[in-house]
DNA sequence: TAGATTGTTAATCGATTAACAATC
DNA sequence: TAGATTGTTAATCGATTAACAATC
């Protein structure tokens, strides 16, 4: 140990991330949930909240809430709780949702066009930049937004003009890996994959699967 | 212990579920993944598969695969592996996807209409019975299927005529709890919730959340 | 028989929960 | 000061992985 403990504590109490990308997905997901609840509380004019409150609202354990938050700094005040506005701001900073997060969508079919105009994304502050489709004319007819739709061949050109943070994949299953390879080559580091295809990416690129059929299959198990 | 171990083993080797509903969601999810991979293998004419194979295809550990499968019975043959067709059939039986699984969708808006006509559901054998919306006429214009769309007031009448297994919620956030209460009263035991609202249900009713914004927020964390 | 692979037990790992001193 | 609630350590729980005897 070359640094003493008070130095470590000092570093972290300012709210610096630890060795960030190692945080478990479950923790990140909960941070996102806390952020939502805090948003509602802030809207209601509530100025402080305890870990027990937060836990109750989300069906979690209060120890877990405190532990999750303590990973990133000391945001609470013993005997008082957490200041709502400040905590929310901190969590947004931690998640990176305080900055512009640029999103593109590839595959403007049935599902893709719904995702492109999904209000929830806008509401949470995401910037949906562009859509891409193998048939941009047909795609444009499906979607009711002013977001420009390009031919998928223009992927390279567009991303070169303005880098994107997250790509949403809603292409046919067979096209998933090919598009993924191109996205990765273009430096896209995060993909939200709505196809059931398991896609291969180099280490460091983050993929999240939203497998709609799989959700139904899982539920099917519990209802028989 | 009133029953001896060989009796228990005998009961389970036929492929009977254990005290079923206690199985962890993670295991159920993987069963669903195995089922998919097996479907592809069956299509390719492959007749046997080892736990190591299956694990490699899904980025899992072979012990985990064997353990998951062993929960429900002895489907493998030591020194040989698992017979593809039979294993797939067993998993489908365990998941309940070998029978008709009836699904309804409430909230035929942008997202809802895309979900209603989502090919993946059909492909996995789910039966999308009906859609419901507060404005069925407008909703009918959005969706390109022959699935009938009813007024949400007709929920009770329709479900009385033919019970459903799973309800998909794609209504505005504020309407989520109200609709949920009605679904629960109608005996619906599984809800796939696409709204960000945390909904309250009595014990025994299963809810799964697909929170689209939350997925983006989680990814946002990893790309900063 | 020799080789392969299962089913299962034991070991490990990580995540959740409980407990409590520190502190506002 | 007394009461409340944090941050953190220790205990518990559950899930994953390793190991290996059983067996085809």
């Amino acid at each position: 140990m070359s640094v003493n403990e008070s130095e470590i504590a000092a570093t972290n109490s300012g709210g610096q991330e630890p060795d960030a990308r190692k945080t478990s997905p479950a923790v990140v997901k909960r941070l996102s949930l806390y952020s939502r609840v805090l948003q509602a509380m802030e809207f209601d004019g509530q100025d402080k909240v305890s870990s027990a409150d937060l836990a109750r609202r989300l069906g979690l354990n209060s120890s877990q809430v405190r532990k999750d938050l303590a990973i990133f700094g000391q945001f609470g005040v013993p005997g008082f709780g957490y200041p709502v506005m400040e905590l929310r701001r901190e969590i947004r900073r931690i998640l990176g949702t305080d900055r512009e997060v640029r999103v593109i969508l590839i595959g403007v079919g049935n599902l893709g066009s719904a995702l492109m105009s999904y209000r929830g994304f806008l509401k949470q502050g995401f910037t949906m930049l562009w859509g891409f489709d193998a048939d941009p004319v047909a795609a444009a007819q499906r979607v009711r937004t002013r977001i420009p739709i390009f031919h998928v061949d223009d992927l390279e050109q567009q991303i070169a003009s303005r880098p994107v943070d997250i790509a949403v994949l809603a292409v046919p299953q067979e096209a998933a890996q090919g598009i993924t390879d191109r996205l990765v080559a273009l430096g896209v580091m995060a993909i939200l994959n709505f196809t059931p295809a398991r896609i291969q990416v180099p280490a460091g690129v983050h993929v999240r699967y939203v497998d709609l059929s799989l959700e139904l299959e899982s539920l099917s198990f519990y209802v028989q």
Side-chain angles (χ1 to χ4, degrees), chain A:
Chain A
M1 290 282 163
S2 58
V3 278
N4 70 44
E5 292 180 9
S6 62
E7 274 174 343
I8 294 172
T11 304
N12 224 17
S13 64
Q16 302 308 309
E17 279 80 287
D19 42 4
R21 301 304 87 86
K22 284 184 187 171
T23 313
S24 92
V27 170
V28 177
K29 190 174 144 184
R30 287 196 299 271
L31 286 178
S32 207
L33 291 171
Y34 302 150
S35 174
R36 291 267 181 89
V37 172
L38 291 166
Q39 185 176 25
M41 287 173 168
E42 200 175 320
F43 184 82
D44 294 344
Q46 188 176 332
D47 64 340
K48 65 166 181 167
V49 63
S50 68
S51 58
D53 266 358
L54 226 28
R56 193 163 358 87
R57 293 273 288 248
L58 293 165
L60 304 173
N61 178 294
S62 67
S63 289
Q64 186 168 51
V65 173
R66 292 196 297 280
K67 199 153 222 227
D68 285 344
L69 297 175
I71 295 172
F72 300 93
Q74 309 205 148
F75 307 126
V77 183
F80 174 85
Y82 299 86
V84 169
M85 204 185 308
E86 193 188 309
L87 180 57
R88 175 164 176 246
R89 192 171 53 230
E90 290 290 348
I91 293 178
R92 284 171 53 84
R93 189 184 52 72
I94 292 161
L95 291 174
T97 49
D98 57 336
R99 300 165 237 183
E100 184 185 50
V101 178
R102 290 187 287 261
V103 181
I104 60 170
L105 189 137
I106 301 115
V108 191
N110 248 334
L111 181 62
S113 67
L115 293 172
M116 240 177 107
S117 50
Y118 181 59
R119 301 254 171 70
F121 292 155
L122 199 68
K123 202 170 162 189
Q124 292 302 319
F126 293 99
T127 305
M128 182 64 72
L129 275 184
W130 313 305
F132 295 89
D133 199 281
D135 185 349
V137 177
Q141 291 178 332
R142 273 189 291 270
V143 68
R144 289 151 295 277
T145 70
R146 282 180 212 147
I147 301 165
I149 299 174
F150 297 96
H151 193 279
V152 75
D153 288 348
D154 298 336
L155 208 49
E156 282 73 13
Q157 199 190 334
Q158 287 301 316
I159 298 185
S161 80
R162 204 173 162 199
V164 305
D165 298 299
I166 305 175
V168 179
L169 263 196
V171 297
Q173 177 163 197
E174 314 75 58
Q177 186 63 58
I179 299 287
T180 298
D181 294 342
R182 288 169 64 189
L183 291 169
V184 167
L186 288 161
V188 174
M189 296 301 282
I191 296 173
L192 183 55
N193 181 13
F194 280 86
T195 81
R198 319 304 296 178
I199 55 179
Q200 306 295 321
V201 293
V205 177
H206 291 268
V207 180
R208 193 98 345 150
Y209 291 85
V210 178
D211 191 324
L212 302 173
S213 299
L214 190 137
E215 298 292 341
L216 281 193
E217 284 187 55
S218 297
L219 279 173
S220 169
F221 174 81
Y222 294 102
V223 293
Q224 308 175 62

